[in-house]
Amino acid sequence: MLGDHAEQDVAFELCPIEGSQGTFKILQYSLLYADNHILAGSNPDSQWLVQAFDMLTKHYPITLGHRVQLPDKNIIVVSQDDRMKQRVYQHAENLSVAEFDEIKYHRNLWPPALDQLLSEKTANIDCLTSAVITRLKNGYLITLSVSHIVADAAGVAVLLHQWASLAKQLFPGGSNSHGNIMPKLPVDFDHSGYWKKLKSYPSNSHPYVDHVQGQDFGNLDDIQTKLASYYKTGTLEDKEALSMCVLCVSAADIANIAKQFNPASATSPLHGVQILYALLWQRYVMAALGVCSTARNYEAPTFLNLLHNTRSLVSSPDYVGNGVSTAYVSSTITEIIETPVIELAHKIKPFINSVTPGAAVHMAEAICDTESMFAVKAVYICSTAASHMTISNASRMPFYDIDFGLGKPEAVIWGSRPTEGMSSWLPNKDGGVVINFGIKDDIYNALKRDRGLNDFVSFVN
């Protein structure tokens, strides 16, 4: 059917957004659960979770595939034999849920065996989907790792909910351990159809594409080599390693941000999270400027990249695949420094959850051109003068409603490898936000000293 692949293999063609270099990234989410059934002796193992995961991946066969690069297209091939079957790993740690909850955002304090196992999952770009079920003294840490080719954050949330739905029906002694096991799951593998729908929107110019295409990043072969190394190791030879720093913003903090920055006379005050976008962008650029001032051109453009879910525009809301679009807010370093936070927030507001499919098409077409694609990645990874920031906000996704038969999770933890300037926002249990930020240590330390920021957020690692 496809070169050397067996006749029974099934192929799914990737749309350009999913086929780009950036989709090598592995998305990893861990959910922490307490389970008193373990202490009661009624739940001796985690086979019910393993069985549910096996059922889930069979229902979503694309999760069992591997990527194949052909001269004219990108595809995922799903083999019908065991050689490409993804595995679910079982692990155990002698920690209580409360003990793990104390160190959940301090990855350097995690048990080494667990850290290594989960790190291998985020580094294995050939493994499209895998799970690690870690048994604690009185609970579980359930981790799902998914290639960005297969799904974005919204797609991972769908997969987690469906896995939990199946597991809850299999839960030992549970009230749902009978009846119809396999629910009707939303299945949508028409990735090429998704792309065609996006293409139906008029394409228009994109300021970030224009900026990137006007840059001279040197030898593209060197950049490609650097990128290949980065995706394997997470670091570059000529750049210091990044840390995944965690900032917590409680629901009370968000309300305080809205109160402090919105004018008393405002007829339509902005939400605290919208203001937080502007506050973090401004303070990050200023901290980076202070650390590396010799590399900065104050009039150079800098961008806030807002990642959005476009599936509501072009497909089913339960579409599992990668439906991310980008919206770039352009400014200069001088403008960011001199503009009041509330004014910067009003500048950003029109770009929040306002996706222009034509811009998504233009961006995708640009990054699927080899030269432009490497230039785009060079801005984020290889350019020492880059001060761009990305926000992927999944804080409104119902992660705390995911019930494997154990009730609601105690915590949701982001475990993906950091990329400089990339911030991934997840919900906090109290209704606030947890921000996972890929950042250099010296810039992070500068942010910690910044009263303009730390009056409103908590630095937890």
Side-chain angles (χ1 to χ4, degrees):
M1 179 178 176
L2 289 164
D4 296 331
H5 300 290
E7 194 65 34
Q8 70 270 26
D9 289 351
V10 177
F12 300 102
E13 184 173 351
L14 301 178
C15 76
I17 293 177
E18 294 158 321
S20 71
Q21 189 86 352
T23 52
F24 278 155
K25 187 176 181 67
I26 301 292
L27 305 179
Q28 185 179 93
Y29 297 85
S30 296
L31 281 68
L32 179 65
Y33 291 92
D35 179 20
N36 293 324
H37 294 80
I38 292 179
L39 296 179
S42 62
N43 186 21
D45 58 38
S46 52
Q47 286 304 118
W48 49 287
L49 291 169
V50 175
Q51 183 182 352
F53 183 77
D54 185 57
M55 295 169 68
L56 174 76
T57 53
K58 287 179 179 177
H59 201 71
Y60 288 91
I62 197 170
T63 63
L64 299 176
H66 65 287
R67 174 172 165 159
V68 175
Q69 179 75 56
L70 298 179
D72 58 341
K73 62 180 64 176
N74 277 292
I75 61 170
I76 290 177
V77 172
V78 177
S79 300
Q80 302 303 310
D81 55 39
D82 289 338
R83 64 193 161 112
M84 287 309 300
K85 183 177 181 180
Q86 304 305 315
R87 291 172 292 175
V88 53
Y89 300 82
Q90 297 187 68
H91 185 69
E93 290 290 348
N94 191 32
L95 287 173
S96 68
V97 170
E99 289 170 332
F100 190 87
D101 191 52
E102 287 291 320
I103 62 173
K104 61 180 180 290
Y105 298 136
H106 301 264
R107 189 67 177 255
N108 61 312
L109 299 180
W110 286 23
L114 175 61
D115 178 56
Q116 181 178 356
L117 181 59
L118 296 186
S119 295
E120 288 173 353
K121 298 305 104 188
T122 58
N124 186 2
I125 61 176
D126 296 322
C127 183
L128 295 189
T129 308
S130 65
V132 176
I133 301 170
T134 303
R135 287 192 56 194
L136 305 173
K137 285 181 180 179
N138 61 331
Y140 290 91
L141 183 71
I142 300 175
T143 303
L144 181 64
S145 300
V146 180
S147 168
H148 214 334
I149 296 173
V150 172
D152 54 15
V156 173
V158 171
L159 291 174
L160 280 168
H161 272 283
Q162 301 298 352
W163 182 13
S165 176
L166 292 168
K168 192 172 183 179
Q169 295 182 69
L170 298 171
F171 186 76
S175 59
N176 295 316
S177 58
H178 56 81
N180 180 22
I181 295 296
M182 179 61 70
K184 292 182 179 179
L185 306 184
V187 180
D188 187 348
F189 301 132
D190 185 15
H191 295 199
S192 60
Y194 173 84
W195 175 247
K196 290 175 182 176
K197 291 174 184 177
L198 273 181
K199 289 281 285 185
S200 67
Y201 291 87
S203 183
N204 50 28
S205 94
H206 197 292
Y208 185 69
V209 175
D210 297 340
H211 167 67
V212 167
Q213 291 179 335
Q215 303 301 303
D216 179 10
F217 291 98
N219 189 311
L220 292 175
D221 290 336
D222 291 342
I223 292 176
Q224 184 172 7
T225 301
K226 287 183 177 182
L227 291 175
S229 172
Y230 170 80
Y231 285 119
K232 288 182 179 179
T233 66
T235 60
L236 292 167
E237 292 181 1
D238 58 348
K239 291 190 72 175
E240 60 190 278
L242 299 173
S243 297
M244 182 63 81
C245 302
V246 182
L247 291 71
C248 285
V249 190
S250 68
D253 291 331
I254 293 173
N256 185 37
I257 289 172
K259 180 179 179 181
Q260 293 294 323
F261 287 96
N262 279 303
S265 59
T267 56
S268 300
L270 296 182
H271 191 277
V273 171
Q274 295 176 331
I275 300 172
L276 185 58
Y277 280 24
L279 179 63
L280 187 58
W281 185 26
Q282 182 190 71
R283 310 321 287 190
Y284 171 62
V285 170
M286 292 176 68
L289 177 67
V291 169
C292 337
S293 59
T294 57
R296 306 293 174 181
N297 174 359
Y298 280 72
E299 299 309 314
T302 184
F303 294 87
L304 176 64
N305 175 19
L306 304 176
L307 300 183
H308 294 303
N309 174 0
T310 63
R311 52 183 34 80
S312 62
L313 294 176
V314 298
S315 188
S316 163
D318 289 325
Y319 174 81
V320 170
N322 183 6
V324 168
S325 178
T326 57
Y328 286 92
V329 186
S330 176
S331 188
T332 66
I333 292 175
T334 298
E335 289 172 344
I336 290 179
I337 293 174
E338 295 180 350
T339 302
V341 169
I342 192 64
E343 291 184 20
L344 191 59
H346 278 285
K347 178 177 180 177
I348 295 170
K349 182 182 177 181
F351 295 86
I352 298 177
N353 296 324
S354 178
V355 181
T356 303
V361 171
H362 190 66
M363 185 65 182
E365 288 176 335
I367 64 176
C368 287
D369 167 74
T370 301
E371 182 170 333
S372 296
M373 178 183 72
F374 288 132
V376 168
K377 299 309 293 183
V379 168
Y380 276 97
I381 298 173
C382 301
S383 175
T384 57
S387 59
H388 310 312
M389 178 178 163
T390 297
I391 292 177
S392 175
N393 188 353
S395 63
R396 292 190 298 174
M397 292 185 184
F399 285 104
Y400 282 93
D401 293 336
I402 299 174
D403 182 2
F404 286 84
L406 304 167
K408 294 186 177 183
E410 300 296 319
V412 180
I413 306 161
W414 172 260
S416 300
R417 175 171 288 159
T419 299
E420 186 171 1
M422 176 74 187
S423 65
S424 300
W425 300 34
L426 290 176
N428 206 352
K429 191 175 183 180
D430 75 345
V433 177
V434 177
I435 302 173
N436 302 271
F437 202 174
I439 192 171
K440 295 176 182 176
D441 288 342
D442 51 0
I443 297 178
Y444 187 55
N445 290 332
L447 284 177
K448 285 184 175 180
R449 297 189 298 268
D450 182 354
R451 291 293 301 274
L453 180 64
N454 61 31
D455 283 349
F456 302 102
V457 307
S458 299
F459 297 81
V460 298
N461 67 346

